[in-house]
Structure formats: C-alpha cells, structure tokens
Amino acid sequence: MALAAAKQDALAARLGGLARHTGGWLGAAQADALARLTAMGLPTKRDEYWRYSDPSSLTAAVATPAAVFDAGDESPVFDVIDRLKIVFVDGVFDAALSDDLALAGVEIERLADAAGADIHWAQGLYGVLETRGQSPVQRPLAALNTAFATDGVLIRVTGKAAKPVGITYIHRDPTSDVMLHHCIKLEAGAELTLTENGPAAARFTKVLEVEIADGARFHHIRAQGRDHERRAATHIFARLGAEALFKSFTLTANGRLTRNECVIELVGDDSKAHVAGAAMGDGDFHHDDTVFITHQGQRCESRQVFKKVLKNGAVGVFQGKILVKQGAQKTDGYQISQSLLLDGDSQFLAKPELEIYADDVKCSHGSTSGAIDETALYYMRSRGVPLKAAQSLLVLAFLAEAIAEIEDEAIADDIRDRLEGWLARHEH
Amino acid sequence: MLEIKNLHVKLQEEDKVILRGVDLKIGAGEVHAIMGPNGSGKSTLSYVLSGRDGYEVTDGSATLDGQELLEMEPEARAAAGLFLAFQYPVEIPGVGNMTFLRTAVNAQRKARGEEEMSAGDFLKVVRAKAKTLKIDADMLKRPVNVGFSGGEKKRNEILQMAMLEPKMCILDETDSGLDVDAMKLVSEGVNALRDAGRSFLVITHYQRLLDHIKPDVVHIMAAGRIIRTGGPELALEVEQNGYADILAEVV
Ligand SMILES: Nc1ncnc2c1ncn2[C@@H]1O[C@H](COP(=O)(O)OP(=O)(O)OP(=O)(O)O)[C@@H](O)[C@H]1O
Ligand SMILES: [Mg+2]
C-alpha cells in the first residue's frame, strides 16, 4: 500500500506542469494513455524491469540540467546522406532548419498539426502499439509519453520513399525536458529509411510506433548524440505483417543515462526483424538496451545484436527476450549481447531470456564480457601498427557484427567514422 | 645487423628463467639458423626481440643496426625493420586480412617518414605477391588467419613479410605445418627476399627447410643458451644424430 501511494505521489509530481492536447483524436488518445499510466504508476528501481537501471532521474519531477555539448567543427552525423530533414530544437519543431515536408511516396505531417482533426489515419497507430507493448511487461514511461507528447512526426509511406527521412534533435537549452512521439505506417510493399540523430534535450522521452504492412521494408538508423550529461528513455514499438522487414541500428556514444526499449511483434509469416546497437561509454555512463521480440507468425527471423565498449566505470545493461508463441513454427531467433571492457572498472549486466511454446524452432542466445585481446594487439603491433590504431581496429572488429546490420554502406561508413572519432577522443 | 649480447630473460609473473645468456651476431645479408630441443627458448628469444609482454630482461642487450631494441615499443621495432614470422600466427576475428596488411604497410611507411601507398598500388602489389605464395583472393578478404589451415597461416606470415620488406627477418618454425610443395613455395618466397641488406634468423627443427633456405651459420640452442655454432654441416649432424652428443659435450 505504502509503495503504491508513493508511486502515485511520484506520478502526481511528475505530471505537474505537463499539458496534454485536448480535443481532436489526439486529445482522446492522450486521455486514454493518462488512464493507463495512472493505473501503472511510474517505475522505480524496485521494479523487476528496472533492476539494472535506476529510473529516478527519468521519473523525477524536474529534469536534471545537462550541459550542451560542443562538437567543434566536426560535421553532424548523417550529413553525407541526402535526406529530407526534420529538425526539432529542444523538442520544438524548427521550420527554418527543416525541409518542406513533401516527399514522393510519403505523407509527412507534424503531430501537433494533425492533433486537432476529428479523424486521422494515425488514430489506428498512436498509442495502439504502445498499449499492446504494455503486457506482459509494463512500460509506464511509454504511456507517459503517449499521454503528454507535445509533438512528433506522422509518416505514412505508400510507395518506395524517394529518399530517407531524417529527424535531427538539437539540444540548446541545458534544462530542456522533451517528449516527442512519432508514428510511421508503411503500407503494403512500401519502403522507408529513417535516420534520427542528436541528443534532443537534457531529458528526452520518446516513442516511435511503426506499423509495417505485408511486404513493406523499414530501415532505421540512429545516433543518439554526444552530450555527455543528457538522459533519455526511448521506445520503439513495431508490428510486422507478412514478408515484411524491420531493421534498426542505434549508435550511442556518451550520455549519463540511456534506456532504449524495443518491442517487436512478428505477426505475419516470413518476416524479419533485426535490432542492433553499438554503445560507447566512458566514465559516468549508463546504457540499457531492453528488447522484447514476439514471434507469432511462422518462419520469421529475428536478430538482436548488441555490443558495448565500456571504460572508466561505464555500465552497460542488456535485457533481451525472445518469446515464441504457440504455432510460430520454423522461427529463427538469434540474440547476442557482448561487452568489451577496456579496463577493470566497467560493468556489463545481461539478462537474456528465451520463452518458447512452439516445437520446431531454432533459437540461440549468447552473452559475453571480455577484455581486449592482448595477443592480437601484440601481433598487430609487431607488424608496425601503432597501439592506438591496433586498439581501434580491434574495437571496430568487435562492433562489426552490429554495424553489419546497417544495409546502406554510406551510412555504415559514416557510423564507423564516428566510432573511430570517439575512440580517438577517448584514448586510454 | 642484429647483435644480441648476454641476454638473460625470465618470466615477468613467475621466477622462471628462460634465456640464460644468449650471444648472437648476425651480419647484413647473412642467414643464420637456430635449432634446439623443444622448450630450449627459441620462441622466447624471438618474442623478446619483437617486444612481447610478459618477459623481463634481467641482463644483456639486443641491437638492430646499433639501435637498442629492448627499450622500443613493438611497433617501433617493426618500423626499424624487424619482423617475426610467428610459430603460431594469431587469429584476429573481424579484421580483414587486406585491411590489416595495408594498415601495417602504411603505418611503417609513416613511421619512417615515407609516403603512404595508394589503395590502387597496394592492391596491385599484394595481389602479385599473394599469387606467388598461392594465396587466393578469398584468403585476402577473410579476417586475419581466421579459419586458415596451419599451412595457410604460415604462407600468410610470409606474405606479410614480403609486403613489409623488413631488413631483419626472424622465422619461427615457418616450416612446421607446411606440405612439401608449400615448403618450396615459402622457401622461394624467402629466397626472393635475400639480398645484401637483409638478414634472416631461421628457427627450425628440420634440416629439410635448410636445403631450401641455405644458412651461412647454424646455432644450437639448449636450456636458454647457444651451446654450439657452426656451418650448415651442423644441421646435418643434428638431423642424423639428434642432440644427445652435442648436449653431452657441453655438460
Ligand atoms: N608464458 C610462459 N609461461 C610459462 N612458461 C613459459 C612461458 N613462455 C615460455 N615458457 C617456457 O619456457 C620454455 C621455452 O619455451 P619456448 O617456447 O621459447 O621454447 P622453444 O625452444 O621455442 O620450443 P619449441 O621447439 O617446442 O617451439 C618452455 O619450457 C616453456 O614452457
Ligand atoms: Mg618455439
């Protein structure tokens, strides 16, 4: 009882000052979400699902300020990619920095603009996948976001998008506290690449809901920005039809606290869902990948590939689950989570889980934690490769399996360059 | 070229002494062979010269063209012209053989203040050299030594040597694991590199390799010391009689 009351008090404090959209389809959806959230309360470290990551800075009434990172003259990530740019500065849409929201084969609209309508296609998606993702594990921060998101992007893809859509989040205000919510609907056979980059805010809560119809393909690549003090809780909820593809890769370099949740349902047959991440942490860094993949259709393939490079007391967490429902025969599930600990201070906590109710499936999972291979280092140095370059090659080799999940070679090269840059700046 | 004086080495972590006063002098253009029973310290000598961690030099010195080697980082020794073909080449998952080779070649060039090799030039040279060692394109693309057969690993070492063009080459049992034809290929590769400015130290158990790579001097190492030095005939003697007689003489 005491705990429940404390939870409700914490919730009331967190909601103080937050405003919902009222009226229109969004007002109704947000009111529903608030009801869900109120029933759940906010998470605490005592919740099983938050055992390894303390949510208190995410649930606190006020966001802890975060200094804005100065990238100097380094070009922003993905700048080499020709894409339709949508820019949010501390959560506020910036029309001047953004392109026209017009792209062949794609309808793009801001959530705030669409909110007032009585009927909208996004009604069938906004908060819907999030709600489905609330069981068997509760994700109150996602409901919080659905209830209070101020803006976001609604994208409906009817064909093959002429070019990628890129959302850039700029953090300028050290005290910004931002909630954005995006919905993406890929109609049958459609194809879209979405990039996301930037730290967004001192505290950022985000939900991305993606509906992928039969034969559609969705590629997602994000880089979460370098602001060292920022905190973020992000959620991806995806549902796939038949013969559909979902691929998501996330690069996280720095960040005081990052919780990236990914909830995927393979509903149709013969679909593929791949989620990958590369995280680089130095010092006061806590990074948590929490993934839940449900196989319902037959002959689907899922892959989870998460790699973390940690030093100076950085902490990495992986909670990954594959649930194979009855009837999901010929499922091919693969999960690997690995950390490379560059010193003795860092820590990696992994909780891989398999739950299988079908008899003809192939599922594997593995988790390792290790130091850099000293023999390989010596071998490379004995060929004249300097220590730093040899370390960098070995770290990139360690991350290679995750980076390989990026199909676009130009984007993969860009990510590799960022990783090399990070390694050069964080030499040990 | 290479001069080793009274080299004493022990394991860093344990009180185990492995080298007990090694003396060795190899002139420019010379080929020396070291033979000796298992565990006598041959590989340890090559590791210490190339800068592997885990050993402590308690006495003595080693110089390459007058430069003190033992104080240098492994990469600096390589840039100075030292190369070790490993008895057990190391697998590096995730690092492509070609990427590794090019990084190494260009790092050495950079360290010596030379211009880096362009991607095109590099490719041309590496393909030609790989061909003479019967290393196919697939092996060049694969991660360094991963999934290579024993003999393929050894050939890959020689390819690295051919690309890096070191002046002091140490070959640690490069012949072990090679079939008869591969041994010929590798020996030809080594012989092609022989010239007045380049020296070799060939560690082997078998006279057979020395039929192909003709040594000027043969040393016998036992219990961490060079106990005998002679001409090519010394290798023949070992081949015929084993080490018993030689060891007995010393004691
Ligand atoms: N790191 C180590 N830890 C423990 N013992 C070691 C280590 N390195 C070398 N030794 C020991 O030192 C001795 C010399 O080893 P080394 O590998 O140099 O012999 P070798 O002459 O190359 O033998 P082989 O002909 O079998 O290759 C051996 O007894 C070996 O077990
Ligand atoms: Mg040996």
Side-chain angles (χ1 to χ4, degrees):
Chain A
M1 232 21 233
L3 180 62
K7 275 199 164 198
Q8 291 306 328
D9 289 350
L11 180 62
R14 176 70 173 99
L15 302 191
L18 289 180
R20 279 181 294 126
H21 287 270
T22 50
W25 66 273
L26 185 60
Q30 294 204 324
D32 285 353
L34 178 58
R36 281 198 298 283
L37 173 64
T38 309
M40 288 184 264
L42 288 169
T44 70
K45 187 132 181 24
R46 276 188 245 186
D47 293 335
E48 176 62 22
Y49 219 48
W50 288 90
R51 252 177 74 184
Y52 304 120
S53 301
D54 183 354
S56 55
S57 63
L58 299 170
T59 58
V62 179
T64 313
V68 174
F69 179 80
D70 178 7
D73 54 6
E74 194 196 340
S75 70
V77 66
F78 303 142
D79 254 18
V80 292
I81 314 300
D82 178 28
R83 66 205 203 278
L84 183 137
K85 280 179 88 168
I86 303 174
V87 180
F88 289 91
V89 179
D90 290 306
V92 178
F93 176 72
D94 191 313
L97 292 177
S98 303
D99 293 330
D100 281 345
L101 304 185
L103 188 62
V106 188
E107 287 169 30
I108 309 174
E109 213 177 340
R110 280 176 52 209
L111 177 66
D113 290 340
D118 287 332
I119 318 175
H120 196 277
W121 65 261
Q123 266 174 290
L125 190 50
Y126 188 94
V128 173
L129 297 188
E130 174 256 298
T131 304
R132 293 175 63 90
Q134 294 293 353
S135 95
V137 186
Q138 294 188 337
R139 304 167 198 278
L141 294 175
L144 172 74
N145 174 288
T146 303
F148 293 97
T150 52
D151 204 352
V153 183
L154 306 176
I155 302 177
R156 194 156 77 101
V157 193
T158 50
K160 187 176 185 324
K163 58 179 173 184
V165 171
I167 305 178
T168 294
Y169 307 105
I170 297 173
H171 174 210
R172 282 195 191 137
D173 174 359
T175 64
S176 55
D177 188 9
V178 169
M179 280 194 245
L180 296 177
H181 191 123
H182 312 304
C183 291
I184 299 182
K185 183 168 181 163
L186 290 101
E187 304 287 2
E191 189 167 348
L192 176 76
T193 296
L194 173 75
T195 65
E196 292 184 277
N197 69 289
R203 180 167 70 180
F204 187 36
T205 311
K206 194 195 69 180
V207 170
L208 169 65
E209 291 177 287
V210 192
E211 173 91 60
I212 307 168
D214 296 354
R217 303 166 73 80
F218 177 66
H219 296 272
H220 175 231
I221 305 98
R222 72 175 154 174
Q224 294 185 289
R226 303 231 305 273
D227 293 35
H228 191 73
E229 295 173 10
R230 60 124 188 99
R231 289 171 166 85
T234 79
H235 306 78
I236 297 171
F237 296 94
R239 181 165 61 175
L240 284 79
E243 292 176 35
L245 176 79
F246 169 94
K247 273 195 161 187
S248 174
F249 171 90
T250 300
L251 167 66
T252 312
N254 303 349
R256 182 73 41 104
L257 174 63
T258 309
R259 165 92 158 200
N260 290 331
E261 294 194 23
C262 187
V263 184
I264 301 171
E265 281 182 277
L266 289 149
V267 179
D269 298 334
D270 302 294
S271 287
K272 288 183 181 171
H274 294 192
V275 215
M280 318 290 288
D282 183 358
D284 195 350
F285 169 95
H286 186 107
H287 185 274
D288 176 332
D289 282 300
T290 291
V291 181
F292 199 112
I293 296 183
T294 305
H295 281 261
Q296 187 176 318
Q298 297 194 18
R299 297 177 302 278
C300 288
E301 172 190 294
S302 71
R303 284 174 67 84
Q304 303 174 44
V305 183
F306 289 91
K307 307 267 182 155
K308 300 180 203 285
V309 178
L310 306 170
K311 62 185 285 194
N312 274 329
V315 179
V317 175
F318 174 77
Q319 305 188 94
K321 179 154 180 173
I322 306 174
L323 168 63
V324 181
K325 289 195 169 174
Q326 211 171 2
Q329 302 297 10
K330 306 277 181 202
T331 285
D332 183 353
Y334 173 79
Q335 181 195 82
I336 184 98
S337 65
Q338 294 180 307
S339 72
L340 184 61
L341 307 177
L342 295 183
D343 55 39
D345 301 334
S346 304
Q347 204 184 358
F348 179 56
L349 304 156
K351 189 175 155 202
E353 284 180 288
L354 288 176
E355 198 176 324
I356 302 176
Y357 298 101
D359 50 20
D360 185 14
V361 303
K362 193 172 92 189
C363 279
S364 66
H365 66 101
S367 181
T368 64
S369 199
I372 206 152
D373 181 347
E374 291 295 334
T375 308
L377 264 190
Y378 156 64
Y379 184 68
M380 296 169 104
R381 297 175 76 190
S382 80
R383 267 56 179 144
V385 181
L387 176 63
K388 303 267 185 273
Q391 281 169 335
S392 179
L393 274 173
L394 289 180
V395 171
L396 285 175
F398 168 75
L399 297 170
E401 189 184 0
I403 300 170
E405 292 297 338
I406 304 172
E407 272 184 25
D408 186 308
E409 264 315 304
I411 297 180
D413 282 343
D414 197 8
I415 293 286
R416 266 184 226 108
D417 285 350
R418 307 294 154 169
L419 288 164
E420 279 175 12
W422 189 94
L423 288 165
R425 287 189 302 273
H426 295 260
E427 281 176 352
H428 40 246
Chain B
M1 174 77 64
L2 180 69
E3 187 162 6
I4 303 169
K5 281 189 196 152
N6 192 33
L7 187 63
H8 286 73
V9 171
K10 69 179 269 294
L11 291 179
Q12 216 160 45
E13 305 282 308
E14 298 168 42
D15 276 335
K16 178 165 175 165
V17 179
I18 303 178
L19 300 183
R20 303 160 188 275
V22 174
D23 288 290
L24 189 63
K25 193 170 173 181
I26 303 177
E30 291 177 2
V31 175
H32 288 223
I34 295 189
M35 304 179 86
N38 293 132
S40 54
K42 305 180 297 294
S43 292
T44 302
L45 174 64
S46 65
Y47 288 146
V48 170
L49 291 174
S50 67
R52 185 173 198 154
D53 278 346
Y55 303 101
E56 191 183 322
V57 175
T58 50
D59 201 2
S61 69
T63 55
L64 183 66
D65 279 341
Q67 240 182 318
E68 181 53 68
L69 276 178
L70 303 177
E71 299 298 318
M72 293 159 74
E73 297 292 345
E75 54 267 41
R77 302 181 197 202
L82 184 78
F83 180 91
L84 167 63
F86 283 57
Q87 180 173 2
Y88 305 108
V90 178
E91 299 187 2
I92 315 179
V95 177
N97 214 6
M98 204 71 134
T99 309
F100 175 52
L101 259 179
R102 196 148 76 88
T103 308
V105 167
N106 282 333
Q108 290 204 13
R109 287 182 166 233
K110 204 171 151 201
R112 291 195 291 257
E114 298 164 14
E115 215 173 297
E116 294 194 0
M117 217 171 180
S118 76
D121 286 350
F122 174 81
L123 210 63
K124 244 185 268 163
V125 179
V126 82
R127 283 208 182 120
K129 296 198 171 176
K131 203 170 159 203
T132 64
L133 287 161
K134 293 223 165 87
I135 291 176
D136 60 26
D138 179 55
M139 262 171 73
L140 289 175
K141 270 188 237 145
R142 273 155 55 186
V144 181
N145 293 325
V146 176
F148 287 26
S149 75
E152 286 170 347
K153 285 182 182 170
K154 296 302 177 74
R155 276 186 275 152
N156 200 33
E157 293 289 287
I158 301 305
L159 174 64
Q160 292 175 14
M161 185 170 91
M163 288 304 297
L164 294 168
E165 301 182 324
K167 59 187 182 193
M168 180 68 234
C169 310
I170 305 174
L171 309 182
D172 190 357
E173 292 197 33
T174 299
D175 50 339
S176 67
L178 290 180
D179 65 41
V180 182
D181 295 330
M183 167 121 62
K184 258 187 91 181
L185 274 181
V186 163
S187 305
E188 280 162 12
V190 171
N191 287 332
L193 285 170
R194 283 181 76 161
D195 73 34
R198 184 171 287 127
S199 311
F200 290 85
L201 179 59
V202 181
I203 299 171
T204 183
H205 288 294
Y206 305 106
Q207 152 65 25
R208 209 172 35 176
L209 179 71
L210 304 180
D211 282 342
H212 296 292
I213 306 173
K214 299 227 156 46
D216 301 301
V217 182
V218 175
H219 308 273
I220 307 297
M221 180 177 251
R225 248 185 234 116
I226 303 284
I227 55 163
R228 225 173 107 183
T229 295
E233 71 289 346
L234 188 51
L236 286 167
E237 188 186 325
V238 168
E239 180 93 347
Q240 274 155 25
N241 307 331
Y243 293 110
D245 294 350
I246 300 170
L247 291 176
E249 251 171 60
V250 176
V251 176

